């Protein structure tokens, strides 16, 4: 089954370039193109693409606001943010808005194709370690620790809270398994339960959540 992709960029030449790369693949189909965030939201609701390739710097409704609206309106759609460099505050804002990852605009075509397929399969493109670096860089944008504790944390068992803390520290499943003396399959099972209980889309969202709730504090 072909993966439907919505291209969002205010530069027509960029959309043409992405279109050429994507349409060369038998498993990818460009279902629509948008030149601004408002049009992106309208088309996402209408077309229900599996993946939205989202530029962030656009006039009017920017890519961050559009991402928030698309995630809220289209539960089955994943958003892949296009940014200028990996520690960009726009990338940080995109992850907080619900994007499943971000990609540097000058990425190689094979990296773009791999990222789209990864996101469509339900995985996050950005590793937890890179996400943590991004959060550390943009820590000044995180909520203040004076706010109320997120009630969703009470849904977790002690072990699940432990797993979430480890994930928030940027550790892989194998590293968590070694730290907690668990089988890696057990870590995966606990993490899956954490995502369901906290209503999070993927592992990257779990890292963001751990920082926003101050379960993991910026260094």
């Amino acid at each position: 089954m072909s993966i439907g992709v919505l291209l969002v960029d205010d530069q027509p030449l960029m959309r043409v370039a992405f279109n050429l790369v994507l349409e060369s693949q038998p498993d990818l189909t460009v279902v629509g193109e948008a030149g601004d965030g408002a049009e992106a939201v309208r088309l996402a609701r209408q077309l229900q693409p599996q993946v939205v390739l989202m530029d962030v710097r656009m006039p009017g409704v920017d890519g961050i606001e559009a991402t928030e609206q698309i995630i809220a309106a289209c539960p089955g759609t994943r958003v892949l943010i296009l940014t200028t460099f990996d520690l960009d505050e726009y990338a940080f804002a995109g992850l907080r808005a619900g994007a499943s990852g971000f990609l540097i605009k000058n990425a190689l075509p094979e990296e773009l194709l791999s990222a789209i397929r990864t996101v469509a399969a339900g995985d996050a493109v950005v590793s937890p370690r890179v996400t943590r670096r991004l959060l550390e860089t943009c820590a000044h944008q995180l909520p203040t620790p004076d706010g109320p504790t997120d009630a969703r944390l009470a849904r977790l068992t002690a072990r699940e809270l432990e797993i979430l803390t480890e994930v928030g520290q940027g550790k892989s499943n194998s590293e968590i398994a070694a730290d907690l003396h668990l089988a890696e399959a057990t870590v995966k099972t606990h993490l899956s339960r954490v995502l369901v209980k906290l209503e999070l889309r993927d592992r990257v969202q779990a890292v963001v959540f751990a920082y926003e709730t101050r379960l993991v504090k910026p260094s």
Side-chain angles (χ1 to χ4, degrees), residues 86-143:
D86 62 355
L87 294 182
D88 193 343
E89 289 190 5
Y90 280 94
F92 167 78
L95 294 183
R96 288 193 67 195
S100 293
F102 64 86
L103 196 67
I104 310 304
K105 269 198 169 184
N106 62 357
L108 296 173
E110 53 265 33
E111 292 174 331
L112 171 67
L113 297 173
S114 175
I116 291 172
R117 293 181 179 117
T118 299
V119 167
D123 295 324
V125 170
V126 187
S127 73
R129 209 176 296 278
V130 172
T131 304
R132 185 181 181 188
R133 282 177 55 225
L134 183 63
L135 288 167
E136 294 283 0
T137 302
C138 303
H140 62 281
Q141 294 187 36
L142 289 167

